[in-house]
Amino acid sequence: RLMPGEQSPSDPHPAGTVELVHVTSGELTLTVDGVKHLVPAGASATFEASAPHTYGNEGAEPMEMVMAVSVPPVP
């Protein structure tokens, strides 16, 4: 959950890591490798998480999301 104006940055994860986010309320501003993507309530996004990424709420209401992260096994 992010309140209006809040951000949560994340360092790059190991190569092959994939994240899936589903927004349940509000609007997520997902920035991946410097490019912003708006994800509204009811929508989902998936991305390669080996690049820097930030979850943000640039809207006027709280944003809630569910996230799953798939990290490849270490050889």
Side-chain angles (χ1 to χ4, degrees), residues 39-55:
V39 186
S44 300
T46 185
F47 62 98
E48 299 257 347
S50 58
H53 49 285
T54 301
Y55 309 99

Side-chain angles (χ1 to χ4, degrees), residues 17-66:
T17 301
V18 176
E19 292 193 18
L20 168 66
V21 295
H22 178 76
V23 179
T24 58
S25 65
E27 183 175 69
L28 168 66
T29 300
L30 175 63
T31 304
V32 180
D33 208 16
V35 179
K36 286 186 178 184
H37 307 273
L38 297 179
V39 186
S44 300
T46 185
F47 62 98
E48 299 257 347
S50 58
H53 49 285
T54 301
Y55 309 99
N57 181 355
E58 296 180 358
E61 63 183 77
M63 184 281 302
E64 293 185 353
M65 68 178 184
V66 178

